[in-house]
Amino acid sequence: MSSSTPTPRIDQPVAPAPGSEQHGAKAHSDGGWDAPDAAKQVPVQTRSERPQSGDLDAFAPVTGREVNWKFAPIAKLQPLLDGGLDGSAYPFLARQTEGADVEWGRSDDPAVGTAGLPEDRAAAAAWTARDAVLKVTVKATEAHESISITRSDFGTQARAAHTVITAEQHAQGIVVIDNRGSALLSENVEIDVRDGARLTFVSLQDWDDDAVHVSTQFAEVGRDAFLKHVVVSLGGDVVRVNPSTHLGAQGADTEMYGVYFADAGQYIEQQVYVNHDAPNTRGRVNYKGALQGEGAHTVWIGDVLIGRAGDGTDSYEQNRNLVLTDGTRADSIPNLEIETGNIEGAGHASATGRFDDEQLFYLQARGIPEEEARRLVVLGFLVEVIQKIGAPELEERLIAAVEQELAEGRTAVAAPADEQADA
């Protein structure tokens, strides 16, 4: 069969399509990398390259394929991603000392944006929706100031919140945000620790079982200042707390701790970021979690950046997960970027495992029943971090809450067997 247009041989050049000529070869069209805006299409490779903006439209709709959303249950979070949140003032209870103040400020308060800007769509939606800002100030006095804020009346409407916490120069104190009840909430928390100040901040998620909570927390730590940042997540259906700390002045120091306990069907996520952006800074990250029940899922992503200005940095991050039953999933991803070789040290570690049989054997060999032995092992595992808070009353409450989680988990695990026996 003949044709008027002969088929070219493999060694014959093929005429390129108009506009696709490049050294006589046909340009690839996949991906559109030859487009004028091709640079905008390059995927973000590292945490430090993520765009920052308080404009919701600066972030594309979330599909679940993005690196920072790939584990999250998007369907449950969708109402917090579309905008239109209620960002008005909400009721709260505050217990404080004389040197700590809390008050409502305007949405355009100049303190907004001093500690950071949103890096994802959820944070931008809350940023855009804010109608009021809760301002917390720890003053520089001779005392160790404290303030505890309890929030329990958010309801089930999609809401936004914005909090700015300022530790004045050389101030010292503790700020606790205690979350309870039901909520469908996306919020931004800014923490400004000024030169020479020492602040402990605790974010406690003790929500009801139906709560969905996304919290983006930014911290700026000044010269020779210290921030102890603690995240405790126990209750809620979906809880996603992403804290980031910028060590942008010489001698800035941070310790970031986390404790979480996921039950059946519960999703708890933390994406932690420490940015060493000045000489002689120090960072320590230690998160510990326990999981029990079918479908319990936890995610920990730890990012540490030691920038070019981070000479003398001393940094370490770790995550440990204790699996108590079958059917759970713990994702743990430590990341470390180093842009200068003149550092004191840097490292990371991650581990997920079951009970240590040797520990159980040791306790049972001394007459402790197996159930009590398991309780002691879990408490010993988590209490190490809980005791870092430095507030005895709060620590006792959290230990009791962990014991309650263990008790409820034993009941849930035993229920199917009991039902089968009754049948």
Side-chain angles (χ1 to χ4, degrees):
M1 182 176 180
S2 62
S3 173
S4 59
T5 304
T7 302
R9 299 193 308 270
I10 194 169
D11 58 345
Q12 285 182 321
V14 178
S20 63
E21 296 160 348
Q22 183 179 13
H23 305 297
K26 184 177 181 180
H28 291 288
S29 61
D30 52 312
W33 303 113
D34 56 343
D37 62 344
K40 299 179 182 179
Q41 302 183 38
V42 178
V44 173
Q45 301 295 316
T46 61
R47 178 65 184 261
S48 58
E49 295 177 350
R50 292 184 186 176
Q52 299 181 358
S53 175
D55 182 7
L56 177 62
D57 293 333
F59 299 92
V62 177
T63 65
R65 294 187 294 271
E66 299 83 357
V67 66
N68 56 326
W69 291 102
K70 64 181 181 179
F71 296 108
I74 302 302
K76 292 183 177 181
L77 294 171
Q78 197 64 54
L80 301 177
L81 302 174
D82 293 335
L85 308 179
D86 178 4
S88 61
Y90 52 83
F92 65 88
L93 295 175
R95 185 175 61 182
Q96 63 206 81
T97 55
E98 292 185 2
D101 289 340
V102 57
E103 62 180 354
W104 284 110
R106 293 165 50 102
S107 62
D108 60 350
D109 191 283
V112 173
T114 57
L117 287 171
E119 293 182 355
D120 63 37
R121 188 171 175 87
W127 194 281
T128 304
R130 71 181 188 278
D131 288 333
V133 175
L134 189 64
K135 300 175 61 178
V136 180
T137 304
V138 179
K139 299 179 180 179
T141 66
E142 295 182 357
H144 188 276
E145 307 297 345
S146 67
I147 181 166
S148 179
I149 299 169
T150 301
R151 309 186 301 182
S152 59
D153 296 311
F154 283 112
T156 57
Q157 180 183 0
R159 295 195 58 113
H162 198 112
T163 305
V164 176
I165 300 169
T166 304
E168 294 183 346
Q169 190 171 357
H170 300 299
Q172 54 181 342
I174 180 172
V175 175
V176 179
I177 295 183
D178 186 351
N179 296 307
R180 309 182 190 184
S182 296
L184 182 56
L185 173 68
S186 180
E187 68 170 336
N188 292 289
V189 179
E190 299 188 61
I191 306 168
D192 183 8
V193 186
R194 297 181 178 172
D195 295 353
R198 299 183 64 85
L199 179 70
T200 296
F201 170 72
V202 182
S203 178
L204 172 56
Q205 286 64 243
D206 197 13
W207 298 108
D208 290 348
D209 292 341
D210 62 344
V212 176
H213 179 210
V214 177
S215 180
T216 304
Q217 303 177 359
F218 320 90
E220 181 72 35
V221 183
R223 184 183 181 93
D224 297 325
F226 172 71
L227 170 65
K228 182 188 294 184
H229 187 285
V230 185
V231 176
V232 182
S233 297
L234 301 175
D237 181 22
V238 177
V239 175
R240 188 177 195 259
V241 181
N242 294 346
S244 64
T245 300
H246 181 230
L247 305 176
Q250 181 165 317
D253 188 353
T254 187
E255 294 178 2
M256 304 182 73
Y257 298 104
V259 175
Y260 48 96
F261 199 121
D263 284 321
Q266 189 177 15
Y267 178 86
I268 297 177
E269 178 176 341
Q270 295 103 161
Q271 295 189 27
V272 187
Y273 180 34
V274 181
N275 184 355
H276 296 269
D277 198 22
N280 304 315
T281 59
R282 174 182 173 270
R284 291 291 184 272
V285 178
N286 186 10
Y287 273 61
K288 285 189 170 186
L291 303 88
Q292 69 178 2
E294 186 71 28
H297 186 187
T298 64
V299 175
W300 179 87
I301 301 175
D303 291 304
V304 172
L305 169 64
I306 301 176
R308 296 181 181 180
D311 292 349
T313 290
D314 180 9
S315 185
Y316 191 81
E317 64 170 345
Q318 68 172 354
N319 175 228
R320 298 285 188 267
N321 296 292
L322 184 60
V323 175
L324 306 180
T325 65
D326 293 334
T328 65
R329 173 178 172 177
D331 291 289
S332 181
I333 306 172
N335 301 305
L336 177 60
E337 303 173 62
I338 304 176
E339 296 180 347
T340 176
N342 186 24
I343 63 175
E344 291 294 322
H348 57 204
S350 170
T352 299
R354 295 182 177 275
F355 273 103
D356 188 330
D357 292 335
E358 290 185 1
Q359 288 182 323
L360 288 178
F361 176 79
Y362 177 87
L363 294 171
Q364 289 182 267
R366 281 149 182 79
I368 300 175
E370 180 179 356
E371 184 174 305
E372 177 66 10
R374 288 180 176 273
R375 185 186 72 86
L376 292 174
V377 170
V378 176
L379 284 177
F381 177 74
L382 297 178
V383 165
E384 175 196 2
V385 177
I386 292 175
Q387 291 179 337
K388 298 290 187 180
I389 296 174
E393 183 178 338
L394 179 57
E395 291 172 3
E396 290 178 6
R397 174 189 161 191
L398 295 179
I399 293 172
V402 170
E403 290 185 316
Q404 181 65 27
E405 293 275 3
L406 288 169
E408 292 176 355
R410 286 195 299 270
T411 301
V413 170
D418 293 343
E419 291 170 1
Q420 185 176 5
D422 293 340

